[in-house]
Amino acid sequence: MTIRCAAPAGLAAVLALCCPPVAAGPAAPAAVPAAAVPSAAGVSRVDMEPRVDPCVDFYRYACGGWMANHPVPPDQRAWNRFAALTDANRGKLRDILSADAADALPADPADRAGRDADQRKLGDFYASCMDEAGVEKRGVAALQPGLERIAALRSATELPALLARLHQEGVSALFRFYSAQDSKDATSVIAVVDAGGLALPDRDYYLKTDAKSTEQRAEYLQHLQRMFGLLGEAPARAAADAAAVLDVETALAKASLDRVSRRDPVKVYHKLGRDELAALAPSFGWDGYLAAIESPPVSSLNVAEPDFLKAVDGLLRSTGLANLQTYLRWQLLHAAAPWLPSAFVNENFAFFDKTLGGAHELKPRWKRCVEATDDALGEALGREYVARWFDPEAKQRTLALVGEVEKAMGRDIADLGWMGGETKRRAEEKLAALANKIGYPDVWRDYSRLAVVRGDLLGNVERADAFALARRLAKIGKPVDRKEWLMTPPTVNAYYSAPMNDINIPAGILQPPFYDPGRDDAPNYGAIGAVLGHEMTHGFDDRGSQFDGHGNLADWWTPADEAEFKRRTACIADEYSAFPAAGDLHVNGRLTLGENTADNGGLRIAYQAYEASRTGKPRQTLDGFTPEQRLFLGFAQIWCSNTTPEAERQHVLTNPHSPGRYRVDGTVVNMPEFQQAFQCKPGSPMAPEKRCRAW
Ligand SMILES: [Zn+2]
């Protein structure tokens, strides 16, 4: 019951939205992404709005046509190039899964035995999800055992075993327990106790007192009441239960760190011994919990937010058993809602996707089921996707491009005027240690221990979550698996991992408009080249720069260089904080600092790599655009987007990425190369006097 929008824990530096706003469009499978056929220049003119002056609003100039022609589909919160490509991929995955569900195996699978077992699981999982009539007929029976376990809770001493079971089944009640690389010793995997337990998108939704937040909390209370009502509670009881849930979650929210603080790796690292953990929250039986969740031996662990755990302890002492049971019942119901009969699915959609997210219609069932299967068996599904849809040559070409962009980054570091030689050497060491993972994993995940039962949707989702957690906990005390991926191959996204010091570029993004081997080089450098540069720069953004080349949280900066770096990133933070968004809000320049730094550095080194690649080649104007203009247009056109007002609000409040328009305009204003390419007069909006630059 993984909540789909949660980025994998510890995965801060993804390329796009942590939850790429999933797509809609026509129900036809494998729809071609709705983009115009590119010209010889590789730039889509129909997506542009040529009457806009590129020096006044480059985003609109590059994307105005796309925006006019691609309104947000009714079942989406937002629509953009990532979403459109995700939608097309989803159609391909449906073809695979429909065949698996019908037991129609492809003629020539390489490793027949293992793949057949996986394909059967994929088919059974997908078929169970698509069986809407069966789900309706079962009603809440699938939820009943969980509800009964909660109802049977008699005392606080029984809580650890119950909570462990809920955590295994994907219910994130009270706190989260998982494993991660030790920030100060990236060669070892340790246990982590982290904040959790909230159903709303962020702690601020519980705490802010402005009119919109107050209104959304009132709507949340109504939603809670209706959900309890669907479980059969009378209105007065449902209202009381809703209030109890909001009380518990508000107490947890008050003790949770805000999102900006959570970006600081020091603030979420507190390595404690078992006795210290017990002292922080003595009301909770940790030994019983660790045994019940089948954790390997834990002598020390990271308590990411000690104050949060103290608050949990306070809550356990002050909240009566009945209210705690109500809260747990809600958390179970909330996690299960998408897999229950339609009354629950629709109510869950009405609040979380419509009221908070601005979507007008529920996604067709097949899309939800493809996503669920990707969540549960993503590498089994990804293996089939790669075999059918990924061109091995794309991997080789991308690796070559990675090499060029890396070299450009090396030259960029060497040429930085503001950084001293000692820090540069350390930065170069870190860059040299960077690992590049392209397309799909070298070693596929083994799903042999995951049982999938045809006809038991909720059970399958719960078993998949239990399998994923067990797999993760089994890593505690073992050597780090450097071949592992945290995104599935069809994903249209990419990420950098600081503790691994690697970039990961799934097969799903190596397609137009990001990458097209048949088009001119310039837009490819501007699009996928800037994506590669973005991920590399994450190793050197305000957060990544605190980790060394071995993935350890260790300061490798001279004090003077560090002070100058902070001054430079503060310039970027202030720049983006001035951008208005979502009506009365502004972009949060501190929340988005890492992503904005990566956007700026990424485009600059992609530009430099492109210029280097052209040495000795003729300079060609294509379709009226110079090579540099094509590069900047290729960059801008991957960020074309439309967003509902509700989704934009949620994005600005919770997402570490800037909205699409500022990923373009906020980046190019800092590049004299852009102003030269479009001959912008100094002082025009895209050529301001003040520019920011870190890398
Ligand atoms: Zn990123």
Side-chain angles (χ1 to χ4, degrees):
M1 289 182 270
T2 310
I3 295 169
R4 212 183 147 72
C5 277
L11 181 51
V14 300
L15 173 70
L17 318 166
C18 71
C19 172
V22 267
V32 173
V37 178
S39 63
V43 170
S44 174
R45 266 198 185 268
V46 74
D47 290 339
M48 298 174 58
E49 192 173 340
R51 65 189 175 83
V52 173
D53 181 346
C55 297
V56 172
D57 185 347
F58 186 58
Y59 174 73
R60 187 120 214 148
Y61 172 74
C63 286
W66 190 95
M67 291 164 71
N69 293 322
H70 299 84
V72 181
D75 67 346
Q76 300 299 310
R77 301 157 168 236
W79 193 239
N80 53 50
R81 310 310 292 273
F82 290 78
L85 198 49
T86 299
D87 199 43
N89 278 354
R90 201 183 279 118
K92 292 172 182 170
L93 298 178
R94 173 162 83 162
D95 289 348
I96 294 169
L97 290 170
S98 300
D100 286 343
D103 287 327
L105 299 177
D108 185 27
D111 166 14
R112 187 97 206 181
R115 296 196 68 195
D116 284 0
D118 279 358
Q119 284 172 318
R120 200 160 43 245
K121 284 178 189 179
L122 287 167
D124 286 345
F125 194 101
Y126 185 67
S128 306
C129 185
M130 288 302 290
D131 179 18
E132 192 165 12
V135 169
E136 293 296 328
K137 201 168 145 210
R138 281 196 86 187
V140 292
L143 198 61
Q144 216 52 47
L147 292 171
E148 281 166 14
R149 275 191 291 275
I150 293 169
L153 186 70
R154 286 289 161 267
S155 73
T157 55
E158 293 172 7
L159 179 62
L162 174 64
L163 199 61
R165 178 76 183 252
L166 288 166
H167 286 174
Q168 285 173 326
E169 290 172 351
V171 181
S172 168
L174 286 179
F175 61 84
R176 291 178 295 147
F177 182 71
Y178 53 89
S179 76
Q181 281 168 275
D182 185 338
S183 290
K184 293 199 174 167
D185 175 11
T187 61
S188 79
V189 179
I190 57 171
V192 183
V193 176
D194 206 343
L198 306 180
L200 288 174
D202 185 75
R203 65 150 216 172
D204 285 353
Y205 279 71
Y206 297 89
L207 308 179
K208 286 176 87 169
T209 54
D210 61 277
K212 187 72 191 170
S213 304
T214 307
E215 178 194 319
Q216 285 178 332
R217 271 196 300 280
E219 283 163 335
Y220 181 46
L221 267 177
Q222 296 288 317
H223 169 65
L224 287 162
Q225 279 187 50
R226 286 192 292 268
M227 289 292 276
F228 282 122
L230 289 174
L231 272 189
E233 293 188 6
R237 167 87 195 275
D241 282 354
V245 168
L246 189 59
D247 278 354
V248 171
E249 291 187 354
T250 303
L252 296 174
K254 278 183 186 157
S256 302
L257 282 181
D258 64 84
R259 279 174 193 261
V260 172
S261 299
R262 280 196 65 94
R263 289 196 63 249
D264 183 342
V266 176
K267 286 190 179 160
V268 290
Y269 182 77
H270 307 88
K271 199 167 171 185
L272 305 178
R274 277 279 285 273
D275 50 338
E276 292 171 294
L277 171 69
L280 264 181
S283 305
F284 187 73
W286 291 101
D287 292 347
Y289 174 82
L290 292 170
I293 206 160
E294 297 169 30
S295 168
V298 168
S299 55
S300 63
L301 75 172
N302 178 24
V303 177
E305 298 189 26
D307 286 344
F308 179 86
L309 224 49
K310 281 186 206 163
V312 168
D313 193 71
L315 197 68
L316 294 179
R317 279 184 277 110
S318 64
T319 304
L321 203 59
N323 280 358
L324 195 60
Q325 285 169 303
T326 300
Y327 165 74
L328 295 176
R329 198 160 72 245
W330 154 247
Q331 285 281 324
L332 174 66
L333 177 60
H334 173 57
W339 323 115
L340 293 175
S342 57
F344 293 90
V345 173
N346 292 337
E347 175 55 34
N348 185 60
F349 164 81
F351 180 69
F352 284 99
D353 296 295
K354 191 171 187 179
T355 300
L356 296 186
H360 291 285
E361 285 174 11
L362 183 65
K363 266 182 276 180
R365 191 167 188 93
W366 72 266
K367 292 188 183 181
R368 289 177 272 137
C369 289
V370 167
E371 286 171 9
T373 315
D374 180 53
D375 276 347
L377 288 149
E379 289 197 10
L381 181 55
R383 190 172 177 177
E384 290 203 62
Y385 171 85
V386 165
R388 293 193 198 188
W389 296 100
F390 189 54
D391 173 8
E393 247 187 73
K395 181 166 177 167
Q396 292 315 313
R397 290 207 191 105
T398 307
L399 276 169
L401 192 54
V402 167
E404 289 181 48
V405 176
E406 237 177 66
K407 273 188 210 143
M409 177 119 208
R411 288 192 297 272
D412 177 66
I413 292 169
D415 292 346
L416 280 182
W418 60 267
M419 187 183 275
E422 200 181 325
T423 310
K424 279 186 182 179
R425 266 194 306 283
R426 302 296 299 273
E428 282 158 359
E429 277 170 28
K430 179 164 185 181
L431 181 63
L434 180 77
N436 302 303
K437 284 154 53 189
I438 309 293
Y440 53 89
D442 291 335
V443 179
W444 295 100
R445 189 161 298 181
D446 176 1
Y447 290 102
S448 55
R449 300 187 65 163
L450 172 58
V452 178
V453 179
R454 202 176 265 237
D456 183 14
L457 170 58
L458 183 62
N460 287 338
V461 173
E462 288 175 347
R463 279 185 291 275
D465 280 321
F467 168 80
L469 182 64
R471 206 184 145 274
R472 198 160 177 191
L473 295 183
K475 297 179 195 173
I476 294 171
K478 302 255 173 61
V480 173
D481 176 7
R482 300 202 159 266
K483 293 185 168 163
E484 184 180 30
W485 284 65
L486 304 179
M487 281 179 182
T488 65
T491 306
V492 184
N493 210 332
Y495 70 94
Y496 169 79
S497 163
M500 290 286 194
N501 191 28
D502 67 8
I503 65 172
N504 300 258
I505 316 290
I509 199 171
L510 295 174
Q511 304 182 65
F514 298 91
Y515 173 66
D516 180 354
R519 73 176 168 183
D520 171 54
D521 275 353
N524 276 338
Y525 277 86
I528 196 70
V531 167
L532 299 171
H534 171 105
E535 300 307 338
M536 279 176 209
T537 307
H538 269 314
F540 303 91
D541 69 20
D542 63 314
R543 186 176 180 280
S545 64
Q546 298 180 57
F547 293 82
D548 67 16
H550 304 290
N552 293 321
L553 189 54
D555 190 355
W556 47 272
W557 294 71
T558 65
D561 288 337
E562 189 172 348
E564 180 60 17
F565 180 64
K566 283 191 171 155
R567 199 186 66 72
R568 285 170 175 271
T569 50
C571 178
I572 295 174
D574 292 345
E575 175 200 338
Y576 284 79
S577 287
F579 293 143
D584 56 335
L585 303 177
H586 281 82
V587 173
N588 181 339
R590 284 281 158 197
L591 177 62
T592 56
L593 179 54
E595 298 300 335
N596 299 331
T597 303
D599 281 346
N600 277 264
L603 182 58
R604 180 170 283 104
I605 59 176
Y607 179 94
Q608 291 171 357
Y610 177 62
E611 292 297 299
S613 79
R614 287 181 45 237
T615 311
K617 291 183 187 166
R619 190 182 162 74
Q620 261 189 312
T621 293
L622 293 177
D623 200 15
F625 300 116
T626 68
E628 289 79 11
Q629 289 175 339
R630 300 197 296 276
L631 178 139
F632 285 113
L633 282 164
F635 169 72
Q637 289 190 333
I638 65 173
W639 298 115
C640 300
S641 58
N642 282 309
T643 309
T644 63
E646 293 86 350
E648 184 169 314
R649 184 178 179 85
Q650 187 171 333
H651 181 109
V652 169
L653 292 174
T654 62
N655 199 298
H657 303 84
S658 292
R661 67 173 302 117
Y662 299 127
R663 297 193 75 158
V664 176
D665 288 352
T667 301
V668 298
V669 294
N670 292 323
M671 287 185 70
E673 299 89 340
F674 170 82
Q675 289 130 35
Q676 203 183 340
F678 287 92
Q679 299 180 339
C680 298
K681 284 200 193 80
S684 57
M686 295 294 110
E689 272 169 34
K690 185 181 175 186
R691 295 194 197 105
C692 304
R693 176 172 176 185
W695 296 98

